[in-house]
């Protein structure tokens, strides 16, 4: 003890106190013991938003939030050390943060937002993490679903719709044989093809439309697929009339897989789905005429979810069929009828991949939009035949924008309806 006193007598205890803050993370997983000695800064952590749901009684939304390390492990801290705020256009929205004993590291955030894109800010201790975004979509559970606005100026039989970005909407007009681009921010309209349109491209009854990742336009025309630039110049033309590879009979819906980048085309009167490579070369097709699993009777619409599952409107079999990316059958939902969960000539289909994962289907025979979960559980429908604000006449293709708006081509009413 005397020797210890001699040793400690020369130590300045104040020098042992830390003078700067450091963000240290203790990794408790035994499998990760090789990380002992690593120092991980909290600024390397990422905020991840998960499951989204509407809380009808509270008239609010709830979503999950977690803080992930670079190795995807979750940071679990007390609520007193976590701060979360939600804002839209820099206007803060009151939030409530809770946790559960069953999901350590996963927090539930509840707030009453408006439609569109919101910014989520997270602070752990005194460190601000990188902001992330929350999309609050069209609410399918409202008792009274009414449009936000209509687009009917110059439109003649709109069939297909695609969203370029939050301010630009692209519409195929079957009767005018053109593609219309609407700039919502500037309130401008640009025509590609048709009478007086820009560029040198020509159409013959255009139907489906999609936007490639490098911002080119794909349009299904009579017996062919055209790839054009945003200013209306043809880049590639693929297809001819027939039933062989890279031959079509009145193709309709087009969808691009977010997983493989391949292009899926509803080859209507060949009763199949034809799959093309990004350069429009042939890859494979699946399906044949019939009512069995994996067979079609005039497929019209295609939508692909974030996992690559393919949803097809099997129009004259009055059902939706689901497939793996390679065309193997997964399941189906819908039967012919007018009641809840039944379908009558489904045409268009869209999936809210940004938020809820819900599936929206337009029904030509019932003049309405039906809503299902991703596994085919019916939720509700809205709309009826007519020309009023909550009515349709032969609704065709659908699209959902990244900021949560639902676009419906109201074909025979010659308008685009936005919810």
């Amino acid at each position: 003890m005397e020797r210890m006193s001699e040793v400690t007598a020369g130590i300045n205890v104040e020098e042992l106190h830390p003078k700067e803050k450091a963000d240290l993370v203790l990794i408790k997983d035994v499998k990760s013991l090789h990380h002992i000695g690593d120092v991980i800064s909290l600024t390397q952590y990422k905020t991840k938003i998960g499951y989204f749901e509407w809380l009808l009684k509270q008239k609010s939304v709830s979503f999950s939030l977690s803080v992930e390390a670079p190795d995807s492990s979750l940071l679990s801290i007390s609520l007193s050390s976590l701060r979360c705020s939600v804002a839209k256009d820099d206007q803060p929205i009151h939030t409530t943060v809770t946790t559960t004993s069953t999901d350590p590291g996963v927090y539930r955030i509840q707030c009453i937002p408006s439609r569109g894109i919101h910014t989520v800010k997270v602070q752990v201790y005194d460190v601000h993490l990188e902001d992330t975004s929350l999309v609050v979509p069209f609410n399918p559970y409202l008792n009274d679903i009414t449009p936000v606005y209509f687009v009917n100026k110059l439109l003649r039989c709109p069939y297909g719709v695609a969203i370029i970005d939050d301010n630009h909407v692209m519409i195929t007009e079957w009767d005018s044989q053109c593609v219309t681009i609407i700039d919502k921010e500037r309130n401008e309209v640009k025509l590609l093809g048709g009478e007086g349109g820009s560029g040198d491209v020509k159409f013959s009854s255009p139907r489906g439309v999609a936007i490639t990742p490098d911002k080119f336009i794909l349009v299904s025309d009579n017996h062919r697929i055209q790839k054009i630039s945003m200013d209306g110049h043809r880049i590639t033309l693929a297809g001819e009339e027939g039933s062989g590879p890279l031959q079509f009979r009145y193709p309709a819906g087009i969808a691009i897989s977010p997983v493989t980048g391949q292009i899926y085309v509803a080859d209507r009167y060949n009763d199949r789905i034809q799959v093309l490579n990004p350069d429009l070369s042939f890859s494979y097709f699946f399906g044949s005429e019939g009512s069995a699993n994996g067979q079609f009777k005039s497929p019209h619409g295609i939508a692909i979810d974030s996992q690559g599952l393919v949803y097809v409107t099997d129009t004259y079999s009055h059902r939706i069929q689901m497939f793996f990316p390679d065309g193997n059958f997964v399941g189906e939902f819908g039967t012919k009828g007018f009641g809840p969960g039944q379908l009558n000539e489904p045409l268009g289909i869209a999936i809210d991949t940004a938020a809820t994962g819900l599936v929206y289907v337009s029904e030509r025979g019932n003049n309405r939009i039906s809503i299902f979960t991703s596994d085919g559980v019916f939720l509700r429908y809205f709309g009826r035949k007519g020309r009023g604000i909550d009515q349709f006449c032969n609704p065709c293709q659908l699209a959902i924008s990244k900021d949560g708006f639902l676009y419906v081509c109201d074909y025979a009413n010659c308008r685009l309806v936005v919810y």
Side-chain angles (χ1 to χ4, degrees), residues 206-270:
R207 292 180 176 85
V209 61
I211 310 298
T212 67
D214 51 355
K215 296 294 188 295
F216 287 99
I217 307 166
L218 298 177
V219 179
S220 63
D221 214 349
N222 275 357
H223 321 306
R224 61 186 182 178
I225 306 299
Q226 294 201 63
K227 181 178 181 179
I228 63 176
S229 63
M230 289 293 176
D231 54 2
H233 296 287
R234 180 188 294 165
I235 306 300
T236 308
L237 175 66
E240 60 183 2
E241 186 173 6
S243 56
L246 213 58
Q247 294 181 328
F248 301 93
R249 293 183 63 205
Y250 302 101
I254 301 178
I256 301 173
S257 171
V259 178
T260 66
Q262 290 183 302
I263 302 161
Y264 290 71
V265 182
D267 193 358
R268 287 190 300 159
Y269 293 162
N270 279 324

Side-chain angles (χ1 to χ4, degrees), residues 101-123:
S101 58
T102 57
D103 296 311
V106 178
Y107 305 87
R108 299 296 300 174
I109 314 299
Q110 185 174 333
C111 60
I112 304 177
S114 55
R115 180 94 62 89
I117 299 176
H118 297 66
T119 301
V120 179
K121 297 179 180 292
V122 175
Q123 179 179 328

